[in-house]
Amino acid sequence: MVACKKNQTTATDRSADSTGAPAAVTSDTVSGGDSVTAPGNANSADSLSSDDKKFADAAAMGGMMEVMMGKLAAGNANNAAVKALGEMMVKDHSKANDELKNWASKTGYTLPTGLDAEKQKRYDDLKAKKGAEFDKMYTDLMVSDHQKDIAEFKKEAAGGKEASLKSFASKTLPTLEHHLMESEKAKTAVK
């Protein structure tokens, strides 16, 4: 595994990265590759189930995308409710991303450091929108993404194999449910 080759990497404080420019978010918001793998944890990542790995990877990329899109919304939205939704997404998903990075560091698992092609396209499409068109697309994305996220987090919370990852999923669920509710309100406000 890649994480096993990174035992000599020095630990860095990445907490400030989530407030940087979107380019910094793409590469560093959720990055297990820059973490130090504790000597006793080198095999922990190897023992993760494929479902736990898929969940962790999806949560990492989804969290990065939420922060990136939230920054766009905070700066580009016309509607005050959409701006506020974007700011909330940046704050809450940055915190969740940091918790997931911490889990990955302790486990020795390397999370993705960028978006997959599908998420990058959705981000790029949103970035190209302006005004009311932006507000509508952003709120549509937030509703559909959070519906999907809630289902994935519930599945992990109920059936995940790795205890601390299950705990992360359970702990994050109420925030995602709140985000869905707020996204639906903002979507109604921009109809």
Side-chain angles (χ1 to χ4, degrees):
M1 295 220 77
V2 175
C4 295
K5 295 178 184 173
K6 297 212 175 229
N7 285 347
Q8 300 303 315
T9 307
T10 58
T12 56
D13 181 10
R14 297 228 173 252
S15 60
D17 285 354
S18 63
T19 59
V25 173
T26 302
S27 61
D28 292 332
T29 299
V30 180
S31 174
D34 290 338
S35 60
V36 174
T37 303
N41 291 342
N43 293 326
S44 296
D46 293 335
S47 65
L48 289 174
S49 73
S50 62
D51 286 342
D52 283 345
K53 289 176 184 178
K54 282 184 210 172
F55 171 78
D57 290 350
M61 284 188 283
M64 281 187 276
M65 187 181 74
E66 297 290 352
V67 170
M68 292 168 64
M69 287 184 173
K71 287 181 179 186
L72 282 180
N76 297 348
N78 278 352
N79 186 293
V82 178
K83 278 187 185 286
L85 180 65
E87 291 167 357
M88 180 178 65
M89 294 300 167
V90 171
K91 178 180 162 266
D92 292 349
H93 282 282
S94 292
K95 180 181 175 195
N97 291 350
D98 288 343
E99 290 174 19
L100 189 59
K101 281 193 311 187
N102 188 32
W103 167 82
S105 176
K106 289 178 180 176
T107 308
Y109 184 68
T110 302
L111 294 167
T113 58
L115 302 179
D116 62 17
E118 174 204 344
K119 285 180 176 40
Q120 185 65 50
K121 181 178 181 342
R122 287 168 48 198
Y123 173 78
D124 292 341
D125 290 347
L126 179 65
K127 191 175 181 179
K129 302 290 184 197
K130 300 291 179 221
E133 203 175 57
F134 175 92
D135 290 357
K136 182 171 177 5
M137 183 176 183
Y138 179 69
T139 55
D140 287 347
L141 283 168
M142 290 303 97
V143 169
S144 63
D145 284 350
H146 283 86
Q147 288 170 337
K148 181 181 172 192
D149 291 347
I150 288 167
E152 290 174 2
F153 275 68
K154 281 183 177 177
K155 180 180 173 188
E156 180 65 22
K161 303 291 184 239
E162 205 281 325
S164 57
L165 191 58
K166 274 180 76 164
S167 175
F168 166 76
S170 295
K171 180 181 170 196
T172 307
L173 260 170
T175 301
L176 295 175
E177 290 166 341
H178 178 71
H179 287 176
L180 176 59
M181 183 181 71
E182 294 300 319
S183 297
E184 289 169 339
K185 286 182 194 174
K187 183 177 178 175
T188 301
V190 298
K191 278 190 176 178

